[in-house]
Amino acid sequence: MSSKIPVSVLIPAKNEQVNLPACLASLSRADEIFVVDSQSTDNSIEIAKSHGVNVVQFNFNGRWPKKKNWSLDNLPFRNEWVLIVDCDERITPELWEEIDQAIQNNEYTGYYLNRRVFFLGKWIRYGGKYPDWNLRLFQHKKGRYENLNTEDIPNTGDNEVHEHVILQGKVGYLKNDMLHEDFRDLYHWLERHNRYSNWEASVYFNILTGKDDSGTIGANLFGDAVQRKRFLKKVWVHLPFKPLLRFVLFYIIQRGFLDGKAGYIYARLLSQYEYQIGVKLYELRNCGGHLNTATTPKEEAGEQGSRGAEGKLLTIDS
C-alpha cells in the first residue's frame, strides 16, 4: 500500500450513499478524512464509518458560516493542508502523486484543481465545462470561503457551493484532473439545480441592486479565471433572452455539440436552468420573493408574520 500523504480531506455530505463509496475509495492516500454530515437519513453515515473516517454532524442555524467555513474554523485538523472533495468527486492516483509533491513546495499556499465533469456517462469536454478550475487544496489556516450574503435564502442548502476560497499567499495549478461524476439519476440533478437557481437569482438580484461585494473575491476582467467569470456575470445579468443565449453559448459557440447527445441534453438543461433563475429573479424583484403577495398593508403584515414563523420552524428542522 502506498504511504499516506499528510493531507486532511473535508467532505460535505447529506444523503450521499450512492456516491460516497467511490469517493472514499479514491481517498485512501489521505492521512485524515472528515465527513461533515447534515443529518443524513440514508446509509451515508454507516458507509463513512465503515471506511474508518471521522464523521461530524453540522446543524445549520440559517446564519453564516455555512458548512465548509464552519468546518475550517472548528475541525481539529492534524495536517496543515486540507483538500475539499464533494461526494460526487474522486481523486485519481496520478493526482495524489502530484499533491504529494505540491505540498512540499513552500512557494504556494494553495492549488487549483481541474475537474472532468461527466454527464450521462460522458466526459463533457466542450461547452465551457473544461477546464473547470476549483481552489480545493490549501493551507487551512490561510483560506476561507467568501460570503456572498445569500445564507438567509430559503431552500439553497447549508453548504457553500458557488462561493470561492479567498486565500492568503500564492496559488498554483495542478496538472492532473479530479473526476466529477454523480452516480444518481437526473431527478437529483434537477432537484439540485432547483436549489442552485434560488441562490443564483439572489446573486443576480444583489448585482442589479448594487449590493456591496467587499469580502468576496471580486470581479476583475484581468484577474484569474474565477474573477473573470465573476466580471462576465456582472455583464451577463443585464442581457436579454438569457435562456436562449445560454444554449447558443454552450452548444454552438463553445462547441457543446461535439459532446454528442449528452452535450445537447446538457445544453437544454442549462437553458432551462437559466429560465428558472430568471423567473425567480422576477419573483424577487416584483413579488418580494413570494408568489401571490398580499395587496394591502394589513394583509401583507399578516402574511409576513406567518412566513416568519414558518421560517423559524424550518430552521429548527434543518
Side-chain angles (χ1 to χ4, degrees), residues 66-297:
K66 286 192 172 185
K67 186 184 290 185
K68 291 176 186 173
N69 264 5
W70 180 90
S71 300
L72 291 169
D73 286 339
N74 291 281
L75 295 184
F77 299 119
R78 64 173 175 241
N79 299 293
E80 179 183 27
W81 289 84
V82 65
L83 174 65
I84 298 180
V85 181
D86 290 337
C87 292
D88 54 7
E89 296 172 339
R90 302 189 296 282
I91 306 298
T92 65
E94 297 78 11
L95 181 52
W96 271 122
E97 292 299 328
E98 189 176 5
I99 289 172
D100 192 19
Q101 296 298 315
I103 62 176
Q104 299 177 45
N105 187 342
N106 294 326
E107 182 181 0
Y108 299 101
T109 59
Y111 292 92
Y112 280 98
L113 276 62
N114 195 8
R115 296 195 309 175
R116 291 190 187 187
V117 175
F118 289 82
F119 181 73
L120 295 178
K122 183 176 180 60
W123 174 21
I124 305 298
R125 298 188 61 176
Y126 300 96
K129 293 301 294 181
Y130 187 86
D132 181 23
W133 293 106
N134 291 263
L135 183 55
R136 297 295 193 84
L137 176 67
F138 55 93
Q139 295 176 13
H140 68 84
K141 293 182 180 179
K142 298 184 178 180
R144 291 294 183 273
Y145 282 85
E146 62 182 341
N147 183 359
L148 295 176
N149 298 304
T150 58
E151 65 272 11
D152 59 343
I153 302 167
N155 303 315
T156 57
D158 62 359
N159 187 34
E160 300 91 338
V161 176
H162 301 283
E163 290 87 350
H164 296 281
V165 175
I166 299 175
L167 188 68
Q168 303 171 31
K170 191 174 181 180
V171 182
Y173 291 79
L174 299 186
K175 296 179 180 178
N176 290 283
D177 296 342
M178 68 189 303
L179 307 181
H180 178 281
E181 186 172 16
D182 194 338
F183 294 129
R184 297 173 299 180
D185 54 24
L186 277 172
Y187 171 89
H188 290 91
W189 193 99
L190 292 166
E191 186 274 335
R192 185 168 69 247
H193 282 76
N194 187 30
R195 288 187 284 108
Y196 291 173
S197 61
N198 287 357
W199 185 94
E200 291 278 12
S202 296
V203 171
Y204 282 21
F205 183 76
N206 289 345
I207 292 173
L208 291 170
T209 55
K211 192 159 188 174
D212 179 31
D213 63 356
S214 60
T216 75
I217 63 165
N220 185 353
L221 180 60
F222 304 104
D224 60 28
V226 176
Q227 290 174 318
R228 288 196 298 273
K229 280 186 177 180
R230 190 65 57 80
F231 176 86
L232 292 174
K233 177 171 282 190
K234 287 195 170 187
V235 176
W236 175 262
V237 298
H238 295 282
L239 298 179
F241 311 115
K242 285 189 282 293
L244 175 62
L245 289 176
R246 188 78 177 260
F247 179 86
V248 171
L249 179 65
F250 180 96
Y251 193 68
I252 299 175
I253 297 176
Q254 295 178 310
R255 300 179 297 164
F257 62 87
L258 293 176
D259 286 320
K261 184 70 172 181
Y264 175 75
I265 294 173
Y266 205 96
R268 289 292 302 269
L269 288 174
L270 287 181
S271 177
Q272 175 183 314
Y273 175 56
E274 193 66 51
Y275 183 74
Q276 284 182 265
I277 297 170
V279 294
K280 289 179 179 181
L281 175 61
Y282 179 88
E283 183 184 46
L284 280 172
R285 300 183 76 178
N286 297 280
C287 307
H290 299 277
L291 289 176
N292 303 317
T293 52
T295 56
T296 67

